[in-house]
Structures are given as structure tokens and as C-alpha cells.
Amino acid sequence: MALLGKRDGHARVPYGTLGIPAVYDFEVAFLKGKEPNLISMVKGEADEVHLWARRTPIQDIPCDDIEETSKWCRKVFQKKDEGMAYFFEHGKFPAEEIEYAKKNRSLVVTILWNILLGVPLLWYILSVLLSGSITSLLIAATIALVGFIMIKVLLHFSDSKKGSSFGLKPSNGTRNTTPPNGDTAKKLT
């Protein structure tokens, strides 16, 4: 189940348990100056992700009254905002940190995908170049140019600095540096 913020500050939690044991709340953050974008991920530079996970049993959520549910949701989102403010001030979430190291499995998967996709692509490029057909060369050049332009556009939009800063600055200009009670903060490196 996910909680989605709305403009009026509440979200819905289904009435009754409906077989759902708990609500999981996650916050993801990156250190200032190390925000990932597609280029940094391809280069392997964006390697530190901070994840703050909280679990609320469904029995602790007031599901009987819509007003009480709305109040609970507002408190959850206030806690999320306080946690992010604390992260940006201290460089970590206000909870116990558990650090996970990188695994070589991702390197193996990347190599396998590059082989799986790269070999047929290279075969096609070589066959087009060796065919000598002007039509085939023009079609391949057009496809390459369109692909290059699309990648440039996607890289432009993948910059996380262009994202929203909603909820990071309180309207009264002050920041709460007291850590909210958190469950677990994970640092993935």
C-alpha cells in the first residue's frame, strides 16, 4: 500500500485490514552534490543511496473515521518532511544506519546485457557498412541520429537537480532539527 500526498494534505488508507498487515513508508535521499543522473549512473559515480524505511502495523492506523485517518496521514507526511530536513542538515536520516556494500552481481548482469544487446547490434552495423547500399546506409544513419537526439533529451530530463523541493522548506522559515522517531535508515554503497 502506498501513501500519496495530496494538495489538501491527506491520503486514504483502506478501511479494515483487507489482508494488509502493515504500511511501509520509504524516503530516498542523496548527499548534496552527489545527486544521480543518467550519466553518473552509467559511469558508476552515483553509488551512495540513503533509504529511510518505516513500518506501521495496520492496527495502529485509525481506519474507522476519515477525519482520524486524514490526521494520521498528515502526521506521517510531517514526519517525512522533518526526516528529509534532518537528512539535508546532518547528511543522514534520524535512525539507526545499516550499511550494505556493493555486490559484483550488478557488474555481471551489466556485462551479460551488453553482450546480449551489443553483439547483434555490432553485427547489424558491420553488415550495413559492408553491404555498400546507399539506402541501407541512409536508413542506419537516420536511426542513429534519432537515437542520439533521444538520448540527449533523456539525459537532459534525468538531472535530479530539476526535481521538486516541495516540503523541504517550512513556510515559517525555520527548520526542525530534532530527529523524528525513525525505524531504520539504510545506506546503500
Side-chain angles (χ1 to χ4, degrees):
M1 172 189 307
L3 293 179
L4 302 175
K6 293 186 176 184
R7 194 168 49 93
D8 59 0
H10 80 279
R12 286 201 171 204
V13 175
Y15 292 91
T17 59
L18 300 175
I20 300 170
V23 172
Y24 290 90
D25 185 12
F26 296 94
E27 289 289 325
V28 178
F30 305 94
L31 294 175
K32 191 165 185 140
K34 294 187 178 182
E35 298 92 353
N37 59 32
L38 197 53
I39 294 172
S40 65
M41 284 190 245
V42 169
K43 290 180 179 178
E45 294 171 354
D47 61 348
E48 190 171 312
V49 178
H50 294 262
L51 176 68
W52 187 24
R54 294 171 303 282
R55 181 183 190 274
T56 305
I58 200 75
Q59 296 83 3
D60 296 349
I61 300 172
C63 297
D64 298 332
D65 180 31
I66 190 70
E67 289 302 317
E68 290 299 315
T69 305
S70 294
K71 286 179 188 176
W72 179 84
C73 287
R74 278 191 288 278
K75 286 180 186 176
V76 168
F77 282 104
Q78 287 171 351
K79 186 176 177 181
K80 291 166 80 72
D81 288 343
E82 290 169 3
M84 288 303 285
Y86 185 88
F87 177 85
F88 287 121
E89 188 166 319
H90 297 93
K92 64 177 188 169
F93 282 115
E96 173 192 358
E97 281 192 3
I98 302 171
E99 197 164 322
Y100 291 99
K102 278 188 189 178
K103 297 187 177 176
N104 290 335
R105 179 176 163 217
S106 60
L107 176 64
V108 172
V109 170
T110 302
I111 290 171
L112 288 175
W113 273 111
N114 283 329
I115 291 171
L116 184 69
L117 297 174
V119 170
L121 183 62
L122 286 174
W123 178 261
Y124 174 73
I125 290 170
L126 282 174
S127 65
V128 167
L129 290 174
L130 295 175
S131 73
S133 169
I134 298 292
T135 308
S136 296
L137 288 172
L138 288 175
I139 290 172
T142 304
I143 291 172
L145 182 63
V146 168
F148 176 77
I149 292 170
M150 288 176 59
I151 287 173
K152 281 294 204 182
V153 169
L154 288 173
L155 287 176
H156 174 73
F157 287 116
S158 74
D159 192 0
S160 64
K161 292 180 181 110
K162 296 180 176 116
S164 171
S165 61
F166 177 76
L168 295 180
K169 298 175 186 169
S171 58
N172 62 4
T174 61
R175 238 186 188 164
N176 183 2
T177 59
T178 306
N181 295 328
D183 295 356
T184 306
K186 296 181 181 182
K187 180 179 174 184
L188 307 174
T189 57

